Amino acid sequence: DSGVTQTPKHLITATGQRVTLRCSPRSGDLSVYWYQQSLDQGLQFLIHYYNGEERAKGNILERFSAQQFPDLHSELNLSSLELGDSALYFCASSGIAGGRETQYFGPGTRLLVL
Amino acid sequence: GENVEQHPSTLSVQEGDSAVIKCTYSDSASNYFPWYKQELGKRPQLIIDIRSNVGEKKDQRIAVTLNKTAKHFSLHITETQPEDSAVYFCAASRRGNLIFGKGTKLSVKP
């Protein structure tokens, strides 16, 4: 167990809908990262938050957004869902800003868009 | 931006043999290179990592080597066991944002 929790574990929804994925980092970690893993794209970095502030964006679609709250948990919002958004969504947390950061992954949320 | 290439995409070895997975990266400023193991349907788990000021690091049957000049790094697993079967991902990072290779599916045959 990495200490990173994600809810829900599974999510089934329809095209056009909106969902929210939740992540709680390890105790004391200030950084949260979101990744998307699909069969043909591997692990894609989406976005990084540090202590409530956005630090970096990767291949994140405009239909997706995220935020990190004062208690350091983070939410990833996916809207206007398309079939191609079906994937595993992981969050990871780390404890050191800049430099070396060992990231610990949560168990993931499996999203299926029908 | 950073780009990480990983080879091979699949690797099959006999139990007890060694396995080598290679990655190249494009951003010379990258300074942290972790390797993750992911079993089917589970989260990626860190197995070993190396910083750019170190050329080699070993942890029991696992070792990683880094060649900064050539911008490539490799994972070596010796005395492979069936439980080593999984997908292995390399990654490169400069400011904590990991850019992953596409993964290598390792199968260890008993």
Side-chain angles (χ1 to χ4, degrees), chain B residues 9 18 21 26-27 32 39-40 44 50 53-54 59 61 63 73 76 81 84 87 90 96:
Chain B
S9 56
S18 295
I21 302 170
S26 60
D27 187 351
Y32 176 60
E39 296 176 357
L40 190 62
I50 192 168
N53 58 352
V54 175
D59 182 5
R61 297 186 296 108
F73 55 114
H76 304 252
Q81 300 166 4
D84 294 330
V87 179
C90 64

Side-chain angles (χ1 to χ4, degrees), chain B residues 37-40 82-88 104-108:
Chain B
K37 175 183 179 182
Q38 186 178 28
E39 296 176 357
L40 190 62
E83 50 266 39
D84 294 330
S85 296
V87 179
Y88 291 81
T104 296
K105 183 176 181 180
L106 174 63
S107 299
V108 180

Side-chain angles (χ1 to χ4, degrees), chain A residues 42-72:
Chain A
L43 277 159
Q44 296 285 318
F45 166 66
L46 296 178
I47 198 163
H48 169 205
Y49 274 83
Y50 174 77
N51 201 22
E53 293 188 3
E54 181 186 303
R55 277 296 179 93
K57 274 186 174 180
N59 300 318
I60 188 166
L61 301 172
E62 285 191 9
R63 300 183 286 109
F64 295 1
S65 65
Q67 52 185 326
Q68 187 178 27
F69 295 86
D71 67 353
L72 300 177

Side-chain angles (χ1 to χ4, degrees), chain B residues 19-92:
Chain B
V20 179
I21 302 170
K22 298 181 179 182
C23 289
T24 59
Y25 60 99
S26 60
D27 187 351
S28 56
S30 289
N31 57 6
Y32 176 60
F33 307 92
W35 286 87
Y36 285 84
K37 175 183 179 182
Q38 186 178 28
E39 296 176 357
L40 190 62
K42 297 191 175 180
R43 63 185 172 90
Q45 288 188 282
L46 180 74
I47 56 172
I48 196 167
D49 56 11
I50 192 168
R51 293 201 69 186
S52 59
N53 58 352
V54 175
E56 184 173 358
K57 184 177 178 180
K58 193 172 183 179
D59 182 5
Q60 299 182 336
R61 297 186 296 108
I62 295 173
V64 58
T65 59
L66 172 65
N67 183 326
K68 284 176 54 179
T69 304
K71 290 189 284 187
H72 68 70
F73 55 114
S74 301
L75 177 72
H76 304 252
I77 306 174
T78 57
E79 302 173 14
T80 54
Q81 300 166 4
E83 50 266 39
D84 294 330
S85 296
V87 179
Y88 291 81
F89 290 94
C90 64

